[in-house]
Amino acid sequence: MRNLCMKVSYDGTHYNGFQTQPDGRTIQDQLEKAIKMLSDEDVKIIASGRTDAGVHAYGQVFNFLTQSHIPVERWPMALNTRLPDDIVVREAIEVPELFHARYSAKQKTYRYTVNANQFIDVFQRHTQFHHHGKLNIEAMQRAIKHFIGTYDFTSFASRRSTKTSHIRTLFDAYMVVDKSMCRSSTYDQGVIHTYVTGSGFLQHMVRIMMGTLLEVGEGKKSPDDITAIIAAEDRSKAGPTAVSKGLILWDVEYNDFPKKTF
Amino acid sequence: MRNLCMKVSYDGTHYNGFQTQPDGRTIQDQLEKAIKMLSDEDVKIIASGRTDAGVHAYGQVFNFLTQSHIPVERWPMALNTRLPDDIVVREAIEVPELFHARYSAKQKTYRYTVNANQFIDVFQRHTQFHHHGKLNIEAMQRAIKHFIGTYDFTSFASRRSTKTSHIRTLFDAYMVVDKSMCRSSTYDQGVIHTYVTGSGFLQHMVRIMMGTLLEVGEGKKSPDDITAIIAAEDRSKAGPTAVSKGLILWDVEYNDFPKKTF
């Protein structure tokens, strides 16, 4: 048996999330169906983690065991011709038998995009949350730094979370403001890409962080409130869960293989 | 009667082009329907020109006469709430009675995007033509300069063109290569945005120019062949018509109003 590991991008707009569900069209279903078409094997793929309905991925990672002799470098193209056009396998490598896309993951990066220009960017409408009205971006940038570190993130977890521990470490969190589509300085504040990198993330964690940061941007909370909200370990203290479409699982990193090739 | 002029973005993926057709869903139909909902008038809008099925616009311009007293600055938001989410009105100004979005246009800019990376960018798949295999981008950049000037562009017009003259002036034509999504220098050549600005364009003109430039990139034609292809005034001498989805009507400019506000 060979253990193959792949990196996949998908537009989650038309899917019920990553993980197989009895009632729905999911990314996992599509990938397993394409593998079945290619190798005639009923495989169960292991992803770095699930993504919710409407959430996208640029660099989701999954692995599976196969008896196929198809050379690893031929898999991406071969799968892509068998996948719908909103799912694209970008990389494939052979990994040690014990490699596990979830357990072996060292860190994950998510990107959340807020369009703070006056009008929706029609070409990016499925991957940007369009925010109406002025945002204090500088305050948001100060606020986000308070998330970096090791904390109990209960305040930023879905109430439905079943995890035994809510302690996670955020290694980095920052915002990049793209002003290339701004026309008027009065109404257009740019497109804000927020990147967060951590050891792991709780359900809805990035979206609740964003909902809270947007309240900071709107002046409803101050940047320094973040520390108290984390300390409260109480979901009701944080802001709302930002809509799923702005969120992209950007990358998953592993110790095992060199970053530049995967 | 007031003459209102508006700038509109649309994702043309799900439309049968701009212009009203008996059998189809078009951008013009959607805009006129939204105006009817807002002002209860049956207006006929005048656009800077039609766009074909599957072609997009970032800055299409149209105007129409109205008896409505709604302040001009309120029109974009008011129309956007009545339009599908793939059409967004971005600007509105009141213009002199004689202003005509087609006749008054001074110049138009189109953008055509070729993704020359190994894999499709799943988030831009409706606005990029994905090219498989190596392209000589430097040769394409030399070739495109031969289009600048005043020529008979019959070689680059659809055979169905009914225009009495095929003479047009191209003021500018250039390529910008975006390497931000490149991962491997071996397989990823970047995303090539081609901008062409001219006095006017014939049916399929930008797409035939792109199809020809791609043949230059593939080594099937040399950059200097462009001059002879133009001189031939023969459609069969040029390359194929590139697919519609890579094309965006980027901007339309007018003498009448200041660029910075419109």
Side-chain angles (χ1 to χ4, degrees):
Chain A
M1 290 291 258
R2 295 194 297 159
N3 191 1
L4 300 186
C5 175
M6 303 192 183
K7 197 162 262 193
V8 61
S9 295
Y10 49 82
D11 176 339
T13 307
H14 303 297
Y15 294 95
N16 297 321
F18 185 87
Q19 197 170 54
T20 297
Q21 287 188 10
D23 58 338
R25 181 180 154 81
T26 69
I27 307 292
Q28 184 177 354
D29 294 332
Q30 300 292 329
L31 287 168
E32 291 176 354
K33 216 183 335 176
I35 294 166
K36 169 88 176 170
M37 280 192 259
L38 183 60
S39 72
D40 203 34
E41 293 173 302
D42 287 299
V43 307
K44 196 97 190 134
I45 64 174
I46 296 155
S48 73
R50 64 185 76 177
T51 51
D52 288 330
V55 172
H56 318 285
Y58 172 61
Q60 169 72 289
V61 174
F62 65 92
N63 74 292
F64 60 94
L65 298 172
T66 177
Q67 292 189 305
S68 159
H69 294 291
I70 300 168
V72 68
E73 66 276 10
R74 287 191 44 212
W75 277 82
M77 282 294 210
L79 287 176
N80 288 337
T81 60
R82 290 160 177 86
L83 283 165
D85 74 347
D86 46 10
I87 305 178
V88 176
V89 175
R90 294 195 288 115
E91 313 248 17
I93 56 169
E94 195 165 341
V95 286
E97 203 189 324
L98 287 175
F99 175 90
H100 186 286
R102 182 149 43 98
Y103 301 148
S104 307
K106 187 182 66 176
Q107 60 181 39
K108 276 186 188 178
T109 299
Y110 281 91
R111 186 181 90 171
Y112 194 97
T113 301
V114 175
N115 180 347
N117 292 330
Q118 187 180 14
F119 295 108
I120 288 167
D121 179 341
V122 79
F123 304 116
Q124 314 299 335
R125 68 190 184 282
H126 294 307
T127 54
Q128 296 183 343
F129 165 62
H130 183 245
H131 183 271
H132 288 278
K134 213 77 184 163
L135 284 174
N136 184 342
I137 297 174
E138 194 266 326
M140 293 168 74
Q141 286 174 318
R142 272 187 292 133
I144 199 173
K145 297 301 171 194
H146 292 295
F147 287 112
I148 300 172
T150 301
Y151 302 106
D152 184 309
F153 281 100
T154 298
S155 296
F156 298 90
S158 161
R159 289 193 177 86
R160 292 177 311 213
S161 170
T162 54
K163 289 284 192 295
T164 48
S165 166
H166 286 167
I167 295 173
R168 297 290 183 276
T169 299
L170 244 65
F171 303 119
D172 203 3
Y174 61 95
M175 294 177 170
V176 177
V177 183
D178 175 359
K179 293 194 171 262
S180 65
M181 297 302 270
C182 294
R183 297 154 306 113
S184 134
S185 54
T186 319
Y187 298 113
D188 292 341
Q189 292 197 282
V191 172
I192 309 164
H193 297 294
T194 300
Y195 293 87
V196 291
T197 299
S199 60
F201 291 86
L202 301 165
Q203 196 186 7
H204 294 176
M205 182 167 152
V206 181
R207 291 164 57 191
I208 300 169
M209 286 170 59
M210 277 314 305
T212 309
L213 289 168
L214 285 166
E215 288 194 336
V216 170
E218 291 162 350
K220 294 175 187 164
K221 287 185 164 66
S222 89
D224 294 337
D225 289 346
I226 301 295
T227 309
I229 298 168
I230 295 173
E233 299 180 17
D234 176 355
R235 172 67 187 90
S236 72
K237 296 289 186 268
T241 307
V243 294
S244 59
K245 70 174 179 178
L247 187 62
I248 300 181
L249 171 54
W250 196 250
D251 201 17
V252 189
E253 285 175 72
Y254 297 85
N255 278 320
D256 313 58
F257 23 86
K259 190 177 161 68
K260 77 175 163 62
T261 59
F262 197 75
Chain B
M1 291 290 256
R2 294 194 298 158
N3 191 0
L4 299 187
C5 176
M6 303 191 181
K7 198 162 263 192
V8 60
S9 294
Y10 48 82
D11 176 339
T13 306
H14 303 297
Y15 294 95
N16 296 320
F18 186 87
Q19 197 170 53
T20 297
Q21 286 186 11
D23 58 337
R25 181 179 153 82
T26 70
I27 308 291
Q28 184 177 354
D29 293 334
Q30 300 291 329
L31 288 167
E32 291 176 353
K33 214 181 340 175
I35 294 166
K36 169 89 177 172
M37 280 193 259
L38 183 60
S39 74
D40 202 33
E41 293 174 302
D42 287 299
V43 306
K44 196 97 190 134
I45 63 173
I46 297 157
S48 74
R50 63 185 76 178
T51 51
D52 289 330
V55 173
H56 318 286
Y58 172 61
Q60 169 72 291
V61 174
F62 65 93
N63 74 294
F64 60 94
L65 298 172
T66 177
Q67 291 189 305
S68 159
H69 294 291
I70 301 167
V72 67
E73 65 277 10
R74 289 192 42 212
W75 277 83
M77 282 294 208
L79 288 177
N80 289 337
T81 60
R82 291 159 176 88
L83 282 165
D85 74 346
D86 47 10
I87 305 179
V88 177
V89 175
R90 294 194 289 117
E91 313 247 16
I93 55 170
E94 195 165 340
V95 287
E97 203 190 324
L98 289 175
F99 175 90
H100 186 285
R102 181 149 43 98
Y103 302 148
S104 307
K106 188 182 66 176
Q107 60 180 41
K108 275 187 189 178
T109 298
Y110 281 91
R111 186 182 90 171
Y112 194 98
T113 301
V114 175
N115 180 346
N117 292 331
Q118 188 181 11
F119 296 107
I120 289 167
D121 179 339
V122 80
F123 304 116
Q124 314 300 332
R125 68 191 183 282
H126 293 308
T127 54
Q128 296 183 344
F129 164 63
H130 183 245
H131 183 271
H132 289 277
K134 214 77 183 164
L135 284 174
N136 183 341
I137 298 174
E138 194 265 327
M140 294 168 73
Q141 286 175 317
R142 273 187 290 133
I144 199 174
K145 296 302 172 193
H146 292 295
F147 287 111
I148 300 172
T150 302
Y151 301 107
D152 184 309
F153 281 100
T154 298
S155 297
F156 297 89
S158 160
R159 290 192 176 86
R160 291 177 312 213
S161 168
T162 54
K163 289 285 191 298
T164 47
S165 167
H166 286 166
I167 295 173
R168 296 291 184 276
T169 299
L170 244 66
F171 303 119
D172 203 2
Y174 61 94
M175 293 175 170
V176 177
V177 183
D178 175 358
K179 294 196 171 260
S180 66
M181 296 303 270
C182 293
R183 296 155 305 115
S184 133
S185 55
T186 319
Y187 298 112
D188 292 342
Q189 293 198 283
V191 172
I192 309 164
H193 297 294
T194 300
Y195 293 88
V196 291
T197 300
S199 59
F201 291 86
L202 302 164
Q203 195 186 6
H204 294 175
M205 182 166 150
V206 181
R207 291 164 58 191
I208 300 169
M209 285 170 59
M210 277 314 304
T212 309
L213 289 167
L214 285 166
E215 288 195 336
V216 171
E218 290 162 351
K220 295 175 186 163
K221 287 185 166 65
S222 90
D224 295 337
D225 289 345
I226 301 295
T227 309
I229 298 168
I230 295 173
E233 297 179 19
D234 176 356
R235 172 67 187 90
S236 72
K237 297 288 188 266
T241 307
V243 295
S244 59
K245 71 174 179 178
L247 188 61
I248 301 181
L249 171 55
W250 196 251
D251 200 16
V252 189
E253 286 176 70
Y254 297 85
N255 278 320
D256 313 57
F257 24 86
K259 192 177 160 67
K260 74 176 165 63
T261 59
F262 198 74

